[in-house]
Amino acid sequence: MMPLNCIAVDDEPLALGLVCAFIEKTPFLNLVGKYSSAVEALQGLSEQEVDVLFLDIQMPDLTGIELARVLDKSGTQGPRIVFTTAFNNFALEGFRVDALDYLLKPFNYEEFLRAATKAQTYFELLRKAEQNGTVQTAIVPQAVPTESREEYIFLKVEYQLVRVAYDDMLYIEGLKDYVKVHLKSEPKPLLSLTSLKSLEEKLPSQRFMRVHRSYIVNLEKIGAISRNSILIEKTSIPVSDQYKESFSDYVSRWT
């Protein structure tokens, strides 16, 4: 795997120098730029391909959070962000702008390396997924949807990209800004910062169905069906009026 191109942004010269030194010390990272302001970094990002952005938060003119929002709304695949900050009250906001990790100053090389390794793992998984997608497109006949051959989905969980097998998913519960993915293999659900609608669009429709504004179920895991609910293992999941017709159509094919 090629080294990850990185830039560092911090308005404090000592902090900027330390991050740059850590990047140059790490074999799988490649320092391609360093900036003392987010405005300068924005210009640099437009001129070269960057994989990872080590970004301070509290800066004049444009904060790190504001830069992250600009990149998120740009409509292009931007770099993954690792925030570096002396303040611990930005963790949730960092999560909301899809930061890969969050380093609290002062941090040592071991802590930096942990975040860098997380970035390396993310890009390895991403490239493997892209390669698998290319192979599937090449070998699957046009008459068979590509999604029918996929057996997993990648979810963003705690700043990581986690591969989750379709067969392990029981049902998905939607919250305000998150979803809970309930698995057969784990007692605790995975918490992912995405919407139920977004996840519904990514999951194969022949295996998963929206049955309620707050629930998507794995059709293969349904144990019993009553008039207004579905039983998956020991959990009763409601079927709302909005989705009752489509679910009834599915059930009628098997009765």
Side-chain angles (χ1 to χ4, degrees):
M1 179 177 175
M2 296 290 290
L4 301 176
N5 287 339
C6 307
I7 67 172
V9 188
D10 201 308
D11 64 328
E12 298 177 7
L14 289 177
L16 181 61
L18 181 65
V19 173
C20 290
F22 283 170
I23 292 173
E24 292 176 327
K25 184 179 179 179
T26 307
F28 57 85
L29 299 183
N30 178 38
L31 182 65
V32 297
K34 56 181 180 179
Y35 303 94
S36 59
S37 79
V39 175
E40 292 177 1
L42 193 57
Q43 177 63 32
L45 286 166
S46 68
E47 296 173 349
Q48 58 192 328
E49 184 176 337
V50 177
D51 298 307
V52 185
L53 172 60
F54 291 91
L55 181 63
D56 185 26
I57 291 181
Q58 291 286 73
M59 292 182 289
D61 298 326
L62 189 69
T63 70
I65 294 290
E66 290 168 341
L67 174 58
R69 288 174 181 158
V70 169
L71 295 175
D72 186 53
K73 293 178 181 178
S74 66
T76 60
Q77 181 64 43
R80 295 312 310 271
I81 295 171
V82 175
F83 282 119
T84 61
T85 180
F87 303 93
N88 62 7
N89 57 325
F90 291 106
L92 180 58
E93 190 63 31
F95 193 29
R96 289 186 185 280
V97 294
D98 199 21
L100 188 67
D101 210 344
Y102 186 96
L103 288 170
L104 190 61
K105 298 176 182 178
F107 52 86
N108 56 30
Y109 181 65
E110 181 183 357
E111 293 168 312
F112 174 88
L113 184 59
R114 191 179 304 122
T117 302
K118 195 176 287 187
Q120 182 188 41
T121 301
Y122 169 86
F123 281 100
E124 285 177 348
L125 287 171
L126 185 63
R127 285 166 187 169
K128 284 179 182 177
E130 290 173 347
Q131 289 170 0
N132 289 341
T134 301
V135 171
Q136 288 168 350
T137 301
I139 65 174
V140 177
Q142 291 296 317
V144 181
T146 304
E147 67 173 17
S148 67
R149 300 298 181 94
E150 294 173 355
E151 296 299 330
Y152 53 83
I153 189 172
F154 284 92
L155 297 174
K156 288 174 284 188
V157 180
E158 294 183 355
Y159 306 118
Q160 298 183 69
L161 199 64
V162 177
R163 190 169 103 165
V164 182
Y166 290 150
D167 190 55
D168 195 28
M169 299 167 70
L170 298 172
Y171 63 95
I172 302 105
E173 180 182 0
L175 305 175
K176 184 179 179 182
D177 297 316
Y178 308 87
V179 296
K180 282 184 178 181
V181 182
H182 296 262
L183 305 176
K184 187 176 181 64
S185 63
E186 299 289 341
K188 291 184 178 180
L190 295 179
L191 192 66
S192 181
L193 185 63
T194 187
S195 68
L196 202 64
K197 178 177 174 55
S198 175
L199 198 53
E200 180 185 10
E201 292 171 351
K202 295 175 183 176
L203 291 169
S205 58
Q206 73 270 27
R207 299 182 69 169
F208 293 86
M209 181 176 289
R210 184 86 170 261
V211 296
H212 189 276
R213 62 178 296 182
S214 300
Y215 291 98
I216 294 173
V217 299
N218 185 337
L219 297 169
E220 296 175 359
K221 304 300 181 183
I222 296 175
I225 301 170
S226 65
R227 183 176 180 182
N228 297 310
S229 66
I230 295 166
L231 187 66
I232 295 181
E233 296 200 338
K234 296 181 180 180
T235 303
S236 179
I237 298 169
V239 179
S240 67
D241 291 341
Q242 181 181 355
Y243 300 96
K244 190 172 293 184
E245 183 177 350
S246 58
F247 183 67
S248 296
D249 288 343
Y250 166 76
V251 173
S252 67
R253 297 200 298 268
W254 305 99
T255 57

